[in-house]
Amino acid sequence: MFSLIRKNSGPILRPDPARPWEAEGVFNPGIARVGDTVYMLYRAVGETEAYISHLGLAKSADGINFTRVGKLPIFGPSHDYDRWATEDPRITEIDGYFYITYVAVTGRILENGKPSQSNSVIETSTALLKTKDFVSFKELGIISPPGSDNKDIVLFPKKINGRYAMLHRPSNWVKNNDRFSLDGADIPNVPSIWISFSVDLILWTDHRLFLAVTEPLNAKIGPGLPPIETEEGWLIIYHQITEGATPYEFIYSARAALFDLQDPTKLIAQLPYDILTPKEPYEKENDLSASLPPAGYIKSVVFPTGGFIENDELFVYYGASDRYIGLATGSVKALLEELKAFSIK
Ligand code: BMA
């Protein structure tokens, strides 16, 4: 069995009560390594009523100890399409630019003019930013197909056979719909991971099912880290949501799979178990976004969103309990060896 090992005895970033916009939660970070500096763009929540997220920036020389940059968020809601939140940034470097996808929350269910206690989201899409320096950002707008209720978009770091590629996790899809159809016969029953292609990073077509849930049948999966190129194939670290042993119990964990370098629609290997499962108390705190859960509601969360490989070490940064940021690492060689043992015949 391969398992990621937690790098620290606790979270590597915690909410800062001195900064009101991030007093309640810092989680689900995008990561970029530039020379000897690791940039962390993290989702920050300051209050639990409207649950509006901003993005904060931190930097590190060793990938473990991070220092916040400035006192204010570096990005936040400013459009109709993201007025209820900018969430879960993922960073991919392509040709010297950093591209950042983020989940734009367009609407929440309101009760008496206020967000409902469950904070239920009624529409999500994904938007794209471009930066060279994490100081100024060019906004490229929404890139998820209209009406797809889509999040977790991660970009591949280079063109494949002349086109950019992305993974995404739509919640709405229709066969043979003009606007958003799934090419091919396989239609997933539950939210799963899809792949799409583009010539300009804005308009995405050729949607195909990339990875579907295997076991258990009621689980859901979604992209985690942007794909990482290795000698053996595209390494895909993704999240799986599994129902726990008791009603209203949900477990978010990290998994691994490998895809063909030349044809990334081709699955080479997939581990049938978690490589990181919530275990520590800070990964098992109840979810903030469900402030009035039904009795017995438990949500344990490790939610991988960023990382890189340094020498033989895979760094995986993850949101813990929608409140903290954790880091776990493992040997790339050992992971690829283990994946080989689970090759798709
Ligand atoms: C997912 C996303 C994440 C969140 C995770 C765990 O569906 O909404 O933003 O961190 O659930 O609650």
Side-chain angles (χ1 to χ4, degrees):
M1 295 265 287
F2 174 91
S3 276
L4 291 170
I5 308 294
R6 286 162 187 81
K7 192 79 176 174
N8 223 21
S9 55
I12 58 163
L13 205 74
R14 295 170 181 272
D16 181 355
R19 290 160 206 252
W21 54 277
E22 58 160 285
E24 293 288 348
V26 292
F27 52 110
N28 300 358
I31 297 289
R33 204 173 43 150
V34 187
D36 290 336
T37 305
V38 179
Y39 285 84
M40 173 191 277
L41 197 54
Y42 57 93
R43 173 177 171 188
V45 174
E47 40 69 43
T48 55
E49 193 183 3
Y51 206 65
I52 292 176
S53 298
H54 292 81
L55 305 184
L57 183 66
K59 275 196 216 179
S60 169
D62 61 5
I64 303 169
N65 297 292
F66 281 84
T67 307
R68 283 155 163 103
V69 175
K71 290 197 159 35
L72 295 172
I74 59 149
F75 193 77
S78 65
H79 300 282
D80 276 349
Y81 60 75
D82 64 14
R83 60 190 290 255
W84 282 101
T86 55
E87 302 180 344
D88 301 356
R90 262 78 165 206
I91 308 173
T92 302
E93 184 177 355
I94 309 175
D95 298 334
Y97 285 94
F98 298 98
Y99 289 88
I100 300 156
T101 62
Y102 72 89
V103 175
V105 179
T106 310
R108 280 197 203 283
I109 294 171
L110 300 181
E111 278 165 13
N112 305 321
K114 287 181 154 191
S116 76
Q117 285 292 321
S118 66
N119 274 317
S120 298
V121 162
I122 45 180
E123 199 184 333
T124 53
S125 36
T126 295
L128 184 63
L129 304 175
K130 179 182 183 181
T131 184
K132 231 180 160 46
D133 51 14
F134 290 94
V135 176
S136 61
F137 298 86
K138 184 169 180 197
E139 298 197 52
L140 301 173
I142 298 291
I143 59 164
S144 49
S148 58
D149 193 12
N150 215 324
K151 44 170 62 176
D152 303 324
I153 292 189
V154 294
L155 303 175
F156 283 72
K158 64 181 194 192
K159 283 185 178 169
I160 300 165
N161 303 321
R163 290 188 298 175
Y164 298 104
M166 76 169 185
L167 303 180
H168 57 129
R169 201 223 64 182
S171 292
N172 287 339
W173 56 87
V174 185
K175 199 176 183 188
N176 299 327
N177 178 314
D178 300 352
R179 300 174 94 186
F180 183 45
S181 67
L182 177 60
D183 304 324
D186 292 337
I187 299 273
N189 293 322
V190 293
S192 304
I193 305 177
W194 296 34
I195 188 167
S196 307
F197 299 89
S198 173
V199 291
D200 61 4
L201 289 165
I202 310 294
L203 184 65
W204 294 86
T205 56
D206 203 2
H207 306 290
R208 297 178 208 184
L209 187 59
F210 180 77
L211 198 63
V213 166
T214 46
E215 295 282 325
L217 289 175
N218 54 0
K220 296 177 194 171
I221 57 173
L225 272 57
I228 298 177
E229 190 171 3
T230 72
E231 278 170 18
E232 304 293 334
W234 290 108
L235 178 60
I236 304 297
I237 307 295
Y238 62 100
H239 70 262
Q240 172 154 325
I241 308 163
T242 313
E243 287 179 19
T246 57
Y248 300 120
E249 186 183 353
F250 301 94
I251 300 156
Y252 287 66
S253 57
R255 297 216 156 199
L258 199 63
F259 285 75
D260 189 90
L261 285 180
Q262 270 72 47
D263 176 5
T265 64
K266 200 172 142 210
L267 178 64
I268 299 176
Q270 183 179 17
L271 297 186
Y273 58 83
D274 294 344
I275 59 167
L276 190 69
T277 310
K279 194 181 83 188
E280 299 298 327
Y282 61 88
E283 297 162 346
K284 298 176 119 181
E285 284 184 18
N286 225 337
D287 170 30
L288 265 187
S289 65
S291 44
L292 267 192
Y297 183 97
I298 307 170
K299 197 170 169 185
S300 303
V301 180
V302 304
F303 195 74
T305 45
F308 54 84
I309 288 175
E310 188 178 77
N311 302 320
D312 181 48
E313 198 169 15
L314 169 67
F315 284 66
V316 174
Y317 296 82
Y318 61 95
S321 297
D322 289 346
R323 186 167 289 157
Y324 310 107
I325 292 172
L327 167 63
T329 68
S331 154
V332 179
K333 198 160 163 265
L335 175 56
L336 293 176
E337 278 296 311
E338 178 73 350
L339 277 159
K340 245 184 221 163
F342 291 94
S343 299
I344 308 296
K345 303 282 179 301

